[in-house]
Amino acid sequence: MATGQAEKREHLYKILVIGELGTGKTSFIKRYVHQFFSQNYRATIGVDFALKVLNWDQNTIIRLQLWDIAGQERFGNMTRVYYKEAVGAFIVFDVTRSATFDAVIKWKNDLDSKVQLPDGKPIPCILLANKSDQQKQGIVTTPAKLDEYVKEHGFAGWFETSAKENVNIEEAAKSLVNKILMNDKLLNTGEVIDSERFGLVGGKTDTSQKKSCSC
């Protein structure tokens, strides 16, 4: 380990928050960035931004630029511009409306087709089953099925979240940042990362067989 005065490292990461209209994307961001919740958000028009600064460890500052992309913008010509240079994403669905889950795969396919890591792999994407404080319907009532779905479609994991009750907001974000950091180190140095150091779940280096993530 380095001794003495270590130089502070700063990272700026662009993260997308996408999904159908009314799934709670803005509420998720407001809760995470400002520790605030309101029932009365207007629908996001186009794209909105928020910045979250994390003192990750004593030598690392991480700035997360969260892009809140309107549900009605989906698959539009502008999404390629919005997605550019993103290194991670959340796809959000509403556990009370099965139709918002049915649309998840379209969002994931659209994301994977428009943005990749420098090595051509998909950017890490975590699925958020939001509004978990309310009555659930559909696949989210059977977590084992959602585990399978996440593995099958290449998600980095999933969390039940509630922006209203502040459930799993920090945990979901930390999980995504861990994966972004691991990718960053692998791409920039080629070194083998100790996944325990980053608290990764099911993370392995490229040389090993790919294992699924759980949450």
Side-chain angles (χ1 to χ4, degrees), residues 15-26 28-29 46-47 66-71 73-75 79 82-83 86 88-94 100 103-112 114-115 123 125-128 155:
I15 293 175
L16 307 173
V17 183
I18 56 180
E20 292 293 278
L21 188 66
T23 53
K25 300 183 295 295
T26 302
F28 169 78
I29 292 171
V47 65
L66 294 140
W67 285 51
D68 179 3
I69 296 174
E73 292 285 329
R74 78 160 187 246
F75 326 131
T79 53
Y82 296 151
Y83 290 179
F90 294 106
I91 296 179
V92 188
F93 74 97
D94 176 350
T100 64
V104 162
I105 192 59
K106 296 178 192 167
W107 282 100
K108 182 69 164 69
N109 290 341
D110 191 56
L111 177 73
D112 291 348
K114 289 177 178 171
V115 62
I123 64 172
C125 180
I126 286 180
L127 182 63
L128 301 183
F155 285 91

Side-chain angles (χ1 to χ4, degrees), residues 76-190:
N77 292 330
M78 286 301 291
T79 53
R80 192 176 296 277
V81 177
Y82 296 151
Y83 290 179
K84 193 176 180 187
E85 295 177 354
V87 293
F90 294 106
I91 296 179
V92 188
F93 74 97
D94 176 350
V95 300
T96 71
R97 293 188 290 139
S98 293
T100 64
F101 175 76
D102 295 339
V104 162
I105 192 59
K106 296 178 192 167
W107 282 100
K108 182 69 164 69
N109 290 341
D110 191 56
L111 177 73
D112 291 348
S113 71
K114 289 177 178 171
V115 62
Q116 292 87 31
L117 296 173
D119 63 0
K121 292 180 181 174
I123 64 172
C125 180
I126 286 180
L127 182 63
L128 301 183
N130 197 34
K131 306 189 185 180
S132 65
D133 54 285
Q134 298 182 38
Q135 186 71 41
K136 303 180 188 74
Q137 61 171 250
I139 193 172
V140 75
T141 60
T142 316
K145 285 189 177 176
L146 202 42
D147 285 342
E148 286 177 26
Y149 179 91
V150 160
K151 289 176 198 170
E152 184 183 342
H153 296 293
F155 285 91
W158 71 277
F159 288 83
E160 279 194 41
T161 55
S162 168
K164 183 179 181 181
E165 303 291 338
N166 198 16
V167 175
N168 279 339
I169 305 297
E170 295 280 343
E171 292 82 351
K174 187 175 181 183
S175 177
L176 185 60
V177 172
N178 274 324
K179 288 163 175 54
I180 291 168
L181 280 171
M182 188 175 76
N183 283 335
D184 214 9
K185 287 208 172 272
L186 286 170
L187 290 166
N188 288 338
T189 67

